[in-house]
Each structure stands twice: as C-alpha cells, then as structure tokens.
Amino acid sequence: MSSPAQAANGEPVINVRDAVIRFGPVVAVDGVSLHVRRGEVFGLLGPNGSGKTTLIRGLCGLVELTQGTVRVLGYDVQRDAERIRANIGYMSQKFSLYEDLTSQENLDFYTGIYGLTVQQGRDRQAQLIEQTGLAPYLDRRAGRLSGGWKQRLALACALLHEPQLVFLDEPTAGIDPVARRDLWDLLFRLAALGITLFVTTHYMDEAERCARVGYIYLGKLLAQGTPAELKHLPGVNIPGTRWLEIFCTDSAELLERLRARPGVRQATIFGQSVHALVDADRSNAALGLEGLEVRQGEPTLEDVFVTLSRAQQKE
Amino acid sequence: MARVSLPTAVSLQRTVAVARKELLHILRDPMTLFFSLFIPIMEMFMLGYAIDTNVRHVRTVVLDQAKTQQSRILLESFVNSEDFRIVREVQTPWELSQAIVAGEARVGIQVPEDYSRRLDANQTAQILVLVDGTESSIAAAAVNISNAIALRESLKQLMAQRLSETLPVEARPRILFNPDTRSANFFIPGLLVVMCQMMAVMLTANAIVREKENGTLEQLFMTPVRAGELMLGKLAPYLVLTFVEFCVITFLMRTAFQVPIHGRFLTLSLIMLPFVLTMLGLGLYISTRASTRDASMQMSMGTVIPSIFLSGYVFPIDSMPPFFYFVAHFVPTTWMIDAARGVILRGAGWAELQTHALVLWGMACGVLLASMLKFRKRLT
Ligand SMILES: Nc1ncnc2c1ncn2[C@@H]1O[C@H](COP(=O)(O)OP(=O)(O)OP(=O)(O)O)[C@@H](O)[C@H]1O
Ligand SMILES: [Mg+2]
C-alpha cells in the first residue's frame, strides 16, 4: 500500500501545526507545531502530565483536536484517521494486551484484526518472533511475562502489519537497564529499515540517542531539534555565562554551597558531579572551587530541559 | 483501481478474530463461566420451589363452643376444602387469638355456643373467623374461602327448608391451560425469560468496559477494526452462551418442575432469538456508556429490576394502573414472557406470535443499532 508520504515530495511523516487539545478547562496540548521526517527516531520528553500521551493520541486521531492541523503519513487526521491507523503501530504507555491470553494468542488476535492472510500472518509472526526473541515465551500468558518481555510482545503486535510509523509511549518505563538497551537496539534496527519512530521517554540517555528531540512542558513544545542543536540554543547558553561540570565526593554539600554563592545561576546534581550555570566573569576560585576537578562543560540535555522549564515558569 | 471500502462494510476475518478472542476470555475465566451458568439455575430451583402462591393447608386453630353435630359438620367442611388444616383445638377465645399472635396459626375459627340454637330457630348463626393479615395473599384467600363455606352452609339450610336437594345455581369454573392452577406453570416460563435476560445483559455489559478498564480498548482503537465488527464479534459468543443457558433452563423446567410445553420448542427458541439479541445489545449499550465495571453492573441491574416488575412476571399487567400498563408495552420482557407463556402453557404457534416476533425484532434492531452508533473509536 502506498501513501502520499512515500511520494518523495519531501512531506514530513508527521506534520503538526498549532495543535491544541483541550479537556474542558485543561489544555493538555497547547499550540504544538512539530515535524518528523521519514526514518527518523524522534524523542519526546517532558515531565509527568506535560501532554506527551495526549499529543500522541491526538496524532492518531484517538482524541479530537480542539484546534490546529495534524497530517500523518500525508493524511489529515481529522478526515482520514482510519487510513492512518492502518499504517501506524502504537504501543501505549500502559501494557495493553490481553493478560489472560498467551503471547501467541495475542499475536494471532492482532494478525486477524490487521487482516493478514494466513500465509502473510505466519511469515510476519515468524519474522517478528525472531527479531524480538519471543520464541520461548509464546505459550506463556501475557500477564505473567516480565516487564521487558511484555514490551517486546507489545512491540511485536504493533509491528505485525508492517507499519511505516510507530508510536511508542514510554516503552522503557519500569524495565531493567539490560532490557532497556535491548529494546533500543531493536528500535534502531527498525529505524534502519526506514520505519519512523516517535518515542516518549524520561531517560536522557535515550534522548541523546534520538535523531531529533522535542521538549514539552505544560502542553507547550518549548524546543525541538537534534540534541546538539538543543544544547546550543541561545536560551540555554546565555551570553556572559558558562556551564561547569564539577566532580567531588560530596555533591550534595557542594550543591548547597554553590547555590548560596552569588554568580551561580543554576546548579543541579548529576550522580557524582554537579552541573552549574555561572556568570562568565567569575573565576573558579571566586566560586570556591579550588582543588576540585572542574570541566568547562556544554550543557547536557537535562540542563537544557531544566533551563527551558525555569524560563517558562518565570513567564 | 482503488478499493473503496464503505464505513459500514464488515470484515468477516476481523469479526471472527474478535469472537475468538472473546471466547478465549470466557474459557480462561472458568469462575465467571460457572457463576453465569449455574447461579441462574440455582435461583430457578430456589424460586421455582418457593414461589407457590396457591393457598393450601392454611394452619388453623378452632374453638368449638357449641359442640353440636352441626358445628362439627361445619368445621369438617373447612377441613375438607383442603384449604385449611386444623392444627389445634383451643378452649377459650383468648387462646384462639393468642395462637394467631404467636404465629402458630394463620386463621382462627370460633363457633359460638348458640350456633345450633340459632340455626334451629331460623336465626342468623354467626361464626367468627380471625385471619392473620400479615400475609396478604393468605388473608385474602382465607376470607374468600370462609365466606364461600358460610354461604354454602346457609344455602344448604335454606334448601333443607324448601325440601329441595339441589342447589339452584352452581358456578363450575373450569380453568383452561393450567388445569391444576399450579403456580410453577405460571412462574417458571417467566423465570426462564428473566434468567436469560439477566445473563445476556450482565455478560455483555462487561464486554467493553473490561477493555476500557484494562486499557486494551485504546490499543484496539489504533487498529483498523470497526465498531460493527467489534460489536458483532463480542455478541456472538454470548449469544451462544445465553442459548445454552436457555436450553438448560427449559430442560429443567420440563423435568424438575414438570411444566409441560404445549407448543413447539423450536417456536420458543426462534422467538427467543430477537429477545436475547435485544438484551445483548442492551448490555453492549451499557458497556459503551459505563466507564467502570461497577457502574456497568449497576446499570444492568437498573434495567433488570424494572423489567421484572413491569413485565407481568410478578404482577399481571392487566391489573396494572393505566400508566404502567402503557409503559409495560415498551419493555421487551413483557412481550417475551407473554410469548413464552403462550408457547409453553397454551401451545401458541406462529399465527399467535406474529406481533410478538415483529415487536421483538424491532426492538433488537433498534437497540443494536443504537449501541453501534453510540460506539465511537474515540477516547473520551
Ligand atoms: N481524558 C482526559 N480528560 C481530562 N484530562 C486529561 C485527559 N487525558 C489527559 N488529561 C490531562 O492532560 C494533561 C496531560 O496528560 P498526559 O497524560 O498527556 O501527560 P503525559 O505527558 O503523558 O504524562 P506522563 O509522563 O505521566 O505519562 C494532564 O494534566 C492530564 O490530567
Ligand atoms: Mg503519558
């Protein structure tokens, strides 16, 4: 099946303009515009309740747009939601397969729902079982799978119909680091096949791996771009300031100390280090950092998001 | 050439996929299956044996102060009617009323000392019948029967004076269709209908709400499955299950309760089909409206209860006030109970059931259409 998006006219796979989604008085998505290109892994970040899930639902036509336009795979979501759905995969934030059915039965159900022929279904299932390594768990009830395997099963079900675009809402929430890495490896293999991925996450390391990242805060998309672009945003790199990465043994104590100093605009703990945004005219000595390992840093993505959120709060 | 699929077109493959999955849910949850099949059967046994509105062998105490042959004949006529059963003879009026207060007897009969004297003197002889009014059906029956016995005794006396042996008028009521007026015959066909209704509504009321609660509906909405396919696929297994239930209850009605089926079983099954579809549709409608399983349970009870009281299952619709009589005709259960009693007790066939079939099919289509239209592939 071919869609207008494949017609090499350069139209982004996802194109959102001024989308607003309102639930009564709550504005869950507030004037979001973004675009995602074919084959891209797009990461959407934002604190809890910032509207990530709602935006995804809006992109799939699962909730109605209050304003704005959304085009997905070249179709208008308000008019052609069914066409879009036939060509996208979706993995919701909460595990949403049938827990009382086995993995195989869940796969069979979605094979039927997506209208695959018996032969197509068999081939596609074999391929996905191979890719996800689900084979040993096929006869297990989905409810009894561990978190990582649940996510792989959900992904397999979402990929049965060979969608060109897959939405994954916090696919790695609550699974262990190894499973997390495995899942991302799988996602990159999909991206290499030309599948566009739209992923939400709370993990910065995952965000760093995305081709492009968007940051949404209280319904507003505050920034989008490659991780490098975001780190060089003028709003984050204010003239006359510099980012420091300070290593020390007692980072909590250092944080207290730094926050009390004049000239320190912002300080955050990152494990064994403290990231700080300081006025450029203050020397390390003036900040009381003699004897500590200090690196001139560029902001991390987390610095970027914290700074953007603070700036937004002040408005 | 582009294949344009109409929004109403239903894919058999997707419908079957849904039906198969739904069947798996049923099989994976044997407790629900057990309770939904056996609870109605248990209820049937409890209700079927307990509901006997025919008043027989009412416990009675007597106080015979006359102690004459006439008084004994009178009391015997009470016993012979099989309506009363004398549990004790007492000696004082106080004991008589006490026996009723204590619940030992429902009826007390006092024959005064001057009973025979007044009869012989052609005066009105009185007997006192005390009736416990707490059980209205027994009280009403006791009053009627004792009046009838007194009337017959009076007539006999008058006849004796006119030297005529036969009573001038005698009403001989003959009850058609249910000759021994067994209340089981009247109640169980209604019970059959109500049980199938409860089963159909309760099972399907959960079908979509469950998916809402588990979040699986959201996933399903992202697929090309259509509302109609989802509805039909979900209906099919419950339709089968309700029919199994229907057959089991009918079988028990015939064997355990000895209610003869005068009409044809096939006729009954066929008229049952639109009724069950109506109820499954109603359950689905509830399921699309409710957002939690508790809410859907309450809503389905909310539909079952009025149909129990308005359908003629308990109270005959002919004796309802005009407003309720009118409303009763919009309750599918009313039509189905009437049809079931018709087939089972009166041996009714298609000729008599045309209106019922028409009304029930109309209701089925209406309800199914409404729930399909109500069902949107959107989250609220
Ligand atoms: N159906 C709804 N009705 C009313 N309000 C809603 C609804 N869905 C979401 N909201 C509100 O919209 C806002 C955004 O919620 P959303 O679930 O999109 O956030 P999120 O970014 O996905 O959060 P999380 O990281 O916790 O998953 C929240 O304030 C939420 O309460
Ligand atoms: Mg979310």
Side-chain angles (χ1 to χ4, degrees), chain B residues 29-313:
Chain B
D29 187 8
M31 285 311 272
T32 303
L33 185 62
F34 176 84
F35 281 114
S36 47
L37 281 174
F38 285 86
I39 296 269
I41 290 168
M42 260 175 49
E43 277 175 53
M44 178 182 179
F45 272 92
M46 279 162 27
L47 293 173
Y49 280 123
I51 300 174
D52 192 350
T53 51
N54 294 349
V55 176
R56 284 207 181 87
H57 308 293
V58 177
R59 281 170 286 131
T60 305
V61 287
V62 295
L63 169 57
D64 185 0
Q65 291 171 316
K67 289 194 171 42
T68 58
Q69 195 179 356
Q70 282 147 321
S71 73
R72 265 192 300 280
I73 290 171
L74 177 75
L75 289 174
E76 251 162 52
S77 65
F78 273 88
V79 178
N80 289 343
S81 71
E82 295 241 347
D83 295 316
F84 299 92
R85 176 167 60 93
I86 292 173
V87 291
R88 192 153 67 93
E89 278 208 39
V90 294
Q91 302 308 322
T92 65
W94 186 83
E95 275 181 277
L96 188 75
S97 55
Q98 203 52 39
I100 293 175
V101 172
E104 182 191 348
R106 299 267 181 227
V107 175
I109 302 170
Q110 180 181 0
V111 186
E113 200 191 340
D114 58 358
Y115 178 73
S116 294
R117 247 193 340 262
R118 292 183 74 95
L119 275 185
D120 293 341
N122 279 337
Q123 287 170 313
T124 306
Q126 286 181 332
I127 60 168
L128 179 67
V129 180
L130 298 178
V131 178
D132 174 1
T134 52
E135 294 234 16
S136 60
S137 59
I138 294 181
V143 169
N144 285 340
I145 297 164
S146 45
N147 273 336
I149 290 172
L151 196 65
R152 206 168 65 210
E153 285 306 308
S154 315
L155 281 171
K156 268 196 205 157
Q157 299 287 338
L158 290 171
M159 290 301 113
Q161 283 169 14
R162 282 177 47 194
L163 302 170
S164 157
E165 282 296 309
T166 53
L167 293 177
V169 181
E170 187 177 353
R172 283 254 175 106
R174 192 162 67 90
I175 296 174
L176 300 171
F177 306 127
N178 186 5
D180 33 359
T181 54
R182 290 178 57 211
S183 54
N185 291 11
F186 180 73
F187 265 101
I188 292 186
L191 192 69
L192 166 75
V193 173
V194 171
M195 290 290 142
C196 289
Q197 164 169 9
M198 274 169 89
M199 168 122 170
V201 175
M202 303 258 178
L203 284 178
T204 43
N206 261 340
I208 287 173
V209 163
R210 189 180 53 216
E211 299 222 26
K212 275 188 209 168
E213 278 194 344
N214 295 341
T216 52
L217 197 61
E218 185 178 345
Q219 191 72 48
L220 216 47
F221 279 167
M222 290 295 190
T223 71
V225 76
R226 292 177 197 285
E229 294 156 357
L230 207 54
M231 293 277 170
L232 287 180
K234 279 180 179 284
L235 278 187
Y238 296 118
L239 180 66
V240 173
L241 212 59
T242 310
F243 253 91
V244 170
E245 179 82 24
F246 162 72
C247 291
V248 171
I249 296 186
T250 311
F251 176 75
L252 286 175
M253 173 180 85
R254 185 72 198 82
T255 54
F257 295 97
Q258 302 280 317
V259 178
I261 302 175
H262 292 289
R264 292 171 59 203
F265 177 70
L266 185 69
T267 313
L268 188 62
S269 312
L270 284 177
I271 190 90
M272 199 75 185
L273 183 66
F275 175 71
V276 172
L277 283 175
T278 309
M279 291 305 149
L280 292 172
L282 187 66
L284 273 183
Y285 186 80
I286 290 173
S287 210
T288 58
R289 298 297 306 276
S291 46
T292 65
R293 264 187 261 197
D294 284 341
S296 82
M297 269 298 119
Q298 278 164 12
M299 283 159 88
S300 31
M301 281 319 286
T303 65
V304 169
I305 299 209
S307 52
I308 284 180
F309 291 109
L310 284 174
S311 62
Y313 168 51

Side-chain angles (χ1 to χ4, degrees), chain A residues 23 26 28 47-54 93 170 202, chain B residues 380:
Chain A
F23 299 108
V26 181
N48 293 129
S50 55
K52 301 182 294 296
T53 301
T54 308
Q93 182 169 0
E170 297 192 29
H202 289 295
Chain B
T380 44

Side-chain angles (χ1 to χ4, degrees), chain A residues 149-304:
Chain A
W149 289 107
K150 273 186 181 160
Q151 293 305 70
R152 284 174 209 219
L153 176 61
L155 186 59
C157 287
L159 293 173
L160 274 167
H161 56 305
E162 305 190 59
Q164 307 162 36
L165 166 65
V166 183
F167 291 96
L168 300 111
D169 197 357
E170 297 192 29
T172 55
I175 67 176
D176 69 59
V178 178
R180 206 148 73 80
R181 173 153 309 191
D182 289 350
L183 196 71
W184 270 94
D185 289 346
L186 192 58
L187 295 185
F188 280 112
R189 283 205 297 278
L190 295 174
L193 295 173
I195 297 173
T196 312
L197 299 175
F198 189 106
V199 187
T200 72
T201 178
H202 289 295
Y203 293 105
M204 293 304 144
D205 61 322
E206 293 179 0
E208 295 276 3
R209 299 179 73 176
C210 294
R212 288 175 69 248
V213 176
Y215 183 69
I216 188 170
Y217 181 77
L218 296 176
K220 289 199 167 71
L221 193 75
L222 297 186
Q224 62 174 318
T226 64
E229 280 167 5
L230 292 188
K231 287 173 192 170
H232 291 104
L233 279 177
V236 180
N237 300 281
I238 306 153
T241 64
R242 59 197 178 111
W243 285 96
L244 298 180
E245 192 177 3
I246 309 145
F247 295 87
C248 63
T249 42
D250 190 351
S251 45
E253 184 264 342
L254 177 64
L255 185 73
E256 287 295 308
R257 204 142 50 84
L258 277 176
R259 281 187 172 167
R261 291 259 170 180
V264 177
R265 300 198 170 194
Q266 185 181 312
T268 331
I269 295 190
F270 280 83
Q272 286 302 306
S273 68
V274 174
H275 283 211
L277 178 64
V278 300
D279 289 346
D281 53 2
R282 307 256 168 180
S283 68
N284 288 0
L287 294 164
L289 300 174
E290 300 103 329
L292 293 174
E293 185 188 345
V294 180
R295 273 188 217 156
Q296 289 287 348
E298 61 171 5
T300 61
L301 272 181
E302 188 156 333
D303 293 327
V304 173

